[in-house]
Each structure stands twice: as C-alpha cells, then as structure tokens.
C-alpha cells in the first residue's frame, strides 16, 4: 500500500503531547494524551508494531482500519492488533484542544507473557473482527476507568514487582474487553432459530479457519472455497448466525 509505514511503539508514543504517562522500557506504555492535528505518522497509513487499547475521553475521530472506516467517540473503546493498517481520516471535536484519549500500548513480547491466550480470546469473536470500536455503558466505563487509573499508578510507582502487577491488571483489562464484545455478540445470537444447527456448524468451522488464517487472508472467498461453499452462501450464514456481515 502506498506510503504505508511500519511504526515502532516509542515512535508512536513520542508523536503526541502527553499530560500523564508511564512506561516499562519500550515494551509497555500507558498515557493520557491529546490529538489535534493528524500530521506526521498519522497522515499516512501506518502499521503499529504492537497491541493498542484506546479509550476516548472527549472528542471524535474517524479512522480507517484495514481500509474500513470507523468513528471513535467519547465513551468508546478501540482495540488494535499488530498487523492492522490504520489511518486517521478526520478529527471532529467541539473542544479547541482536539481528541483526548487514554492509550495503552504493548509489544508482542509483553502481551505474550500475560497469563492468557490473546489470539484465542479475540480472534474467535466475529463481533470484534467486524467492529474494533465499541461503545461502553456507564458501568463498563467506570470499571475500565478504575483499571486504567490503577495501571497508571502502578506503572509510575517504585514497586519491586510492578511489571508483574501491570501484567495482572492488563490481563484483567483484556478479559473485560473480550467480555464486552462477547455480550454484543450474544445479543446478535439471541434470535437465531433452533433449527439452524448446520449453519452453526459451518459458522464454527469458519471461525476455526479465521483463527488460523486471519493474518494472511481476509477475503470471504478464500474461506468459502475451503468450506466448499459459495461466498454468497457463506456470507448469509455468517449474517444469520452472528448478526454481522462478513
């Protein structure tokens, strides 16, 4: 893709003015920051070499993730996986200072040392892959806020075991985020009829294939061929079972 840039975690962190931040080497950062001008690395498609959680505190932005446009606004959460191609299209804000957010950025190695399998936790969730931005309700916002505040405090502390503490809190955050997406997916599955057993089996096989090939193949035709189905029929099954488009 033209002008695509691979961006390291330190480069990304240093691109924005921050009101509060803490880091653990170059593998983990948490920061409260603002974005008022999508220049520098953000004016081009970029690929971040790490995981990223963004919680919007105030303002709105429109961004592309793998060529699909989403809007991230106050009270919404965005989760990025390594390999995603991101571009900031527009900042929409009533505030002169722009888009305010809390951001947690982690290397593959840091996440790999957590007591969870993050790929299994998220890649099997069709709702997450279809919509990496999700709106939180009031209780979810309060719980996430508590986690982020505690994570910031521990990362800034002189605690002897702060790396282990941060990893524990981060694991809790990932389980929390996965639960939010699963709740949304459950709402969509609630009305699926009991007679759709074969469709459910096809869908589960599709999820297994996506888990295996999602980093290299995003075309529904690829998965339809492996399932010996037409792309149109597979798309209909995915829509019927999950409530989401392929």
């Amino acid at each position: 893709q033209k002008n695509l840039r691979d961006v390291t975690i330190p480069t990304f962190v240093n691109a924005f003015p921050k009101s509060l931040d803490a880091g653990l080497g170059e593998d983990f950062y948490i920061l409260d920051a603002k974005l008022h001008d999508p220049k520098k690395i953000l004016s081009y498609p970029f690929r971040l070499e790490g995981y990223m959680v963004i919680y919007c505190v105030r303002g709105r932005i429109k961004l592309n993730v793998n060529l699909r446009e989403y809007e991230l606004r106050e009270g919404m959460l965005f989760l990025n996986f390594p390999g995603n191609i991101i571009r900031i299209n527009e900042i929409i804000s009533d505030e002169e200072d722009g888009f305010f957010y809390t951001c947690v950025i982690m290397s593959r190695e840091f996440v790999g040392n957590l007591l969870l399998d993050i790929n299994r936790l998220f890649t099997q969730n069709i709702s997450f892959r279809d919509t990496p931005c999700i709106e939180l309700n009031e209780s979810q916002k309060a719980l996430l806020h508590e986690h982020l505040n505690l994570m910031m405090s521990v990362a800034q502390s002189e605690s002897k075991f702060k790396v282990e503490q941060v990893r524990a809190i981060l694991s809790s955050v990932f389980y929390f985020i996965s639960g939010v997406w699963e709740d949304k997916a459950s709402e969509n599955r609630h009305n699926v009829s009991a007679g759709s057993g074969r469709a459910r089996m096809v869908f589960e096989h599709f999820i297994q294939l996506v888990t295996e090939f999602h980093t290299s193949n995003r075309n529904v035709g690829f998965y339809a061929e492996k399932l010996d189905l037409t792309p149109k029929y597979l798309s209909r099954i995915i829509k019927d079972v999950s409530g989401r488009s392929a």
Side-chain angles (χ1 to χ4, degrees):
Q1 186 167 345
K2 186 179 180 180
N3 296 322
L4 176 64
R5 301 182 180 185
D6 288 312
V7 177
T8 65
I9 293 176
T11 298
F12 185 88
V13 170
N14 292 328
F16 315 107
K18 298 171 284 292
S19 59
L20 192 63
D21 71 301
L24 301 174
E26 294 187 352
D27 287 321
F28 171 88
Y29 290 91
I30 179 170
L31 53 135
D32 291 333
K34 62 181 179 179
L35 178 63
H36 56 81
D37 187 358
K39 290 183 178 178
K40 299 180 179 178
I41 62 170
L42 299 183
S43 60
Y44 299 94
F46 69 94
R47 189 163 42 204
L48 180 66
E49 298 176 359
Y51 296 86
M52 177 170 60
V53 176
I54 294 179
Y55 175 65
C56 176
V57 177
R58 189 165 68 247
R60 288 187 295 156
I61 60 170
K62 290 185 177 181
L63 70 161
N64 274 13
V65 182
N66 298 326
L67 303 180
R68 296 183 65 177
E69 186 174 77
Y70 303 93
E71 182 176 285
L72 183 60
R73 59 185 182 274
E74 183 175 340
M76 293 186 70
L77 187 70
F78 167 66
L79 176 60
N80 176 70
F81 269 51
N84 284 345
I85 298 174
I86 306 171
R87 180 172 183 172
I88 305 299
N89 293 336
E90 183 181 4
I91 299 174
I92 310 167
S93 178
D94 295 331
E95 303 287 336
E96 292 184 1
D97 289 331
F99 177 74
F100 283 79
Y101 61 98
T102 298
C103 183
V104 184
I105 311 175
M106 308 133 282
S107 69
R108 296 173 186 263
E109 292 74 18
F110 195 87
V111 172
N113 287 320
L114 301 179
L115 297 177
L116 55 82
D117 184 339
I118 192 168
N119 288 319
R120 183 176 181 183
L121 196 61
F122 287 100
T123 57
Q124 293 184 7
N125 192 325
I126 188 72
S127 176
F128 163 71
R129 290 192 308 277
D130 191 51
T131 310
C133 301
I134 194 166
E135 189 166 6
L136 305 182
N137 61 34
E138 291 303 319
S139 62
Q140 290 167 342
K141 286 189 283 188
L143 184 57
L144 179 63
H145 187 67
E146 290 177 4
H147 276 79
L148 295 177
N149 282 347
L150 179 58
M151 195 183 303
M152 177 73 80
S153 297
V154 171
Q156 290 178 322
S157 75
E158 299 298 326
S159 173
K160 182 178 179 180
F161 299 106
K162 69 178 182 180
V163 173
E164 291 78 8
Q165 290 175 274
V166 166
R167 283 178 178 152
I169 301 167
L170 186 58
S171 294
S172 180
V173 168
F174 278 132
Y175 278 118
F176 163 77
I177 295 172
S178 181
V180 171
W181 260 283
E182 181 57 35
D183 286 345
K184 293 292 185 182
S186 295
E187 293 177 8
N188 295 325
R189 291 194 297 263
H190 182 70
N191 294 323
V192 175
S193 66
S196 59
R198 183 178 182 278
R200 170 62 60 182
M201 291 178 61
V202 171
F203 178 75
E204 290 178 354
H205 192 184
F206 165 72
I207 291 298
Q208 292 172 0
L209 291 171
V210 170
T211 301
E212 183 177 357
F213 297 107
H214 74 282
T215 57
S216 58
N217 290 283
R218 298 177 181 272
N219 191 316
V220 68
F222 169 84
Y223 299 99
E225 182 178 354
K226 285 191 169 294
L227 292 168
D228 196 24
L229 301 171
T230 66
K232 183 177 180 179
Y233 183 58
L234 177 58
S235 296
R236 191 175 75 189
I237 288 177
I238 294 169
K239 180 69 174 179
D240 289 345
V241 175
S242 70
R244 299 280 180 173
S245 300

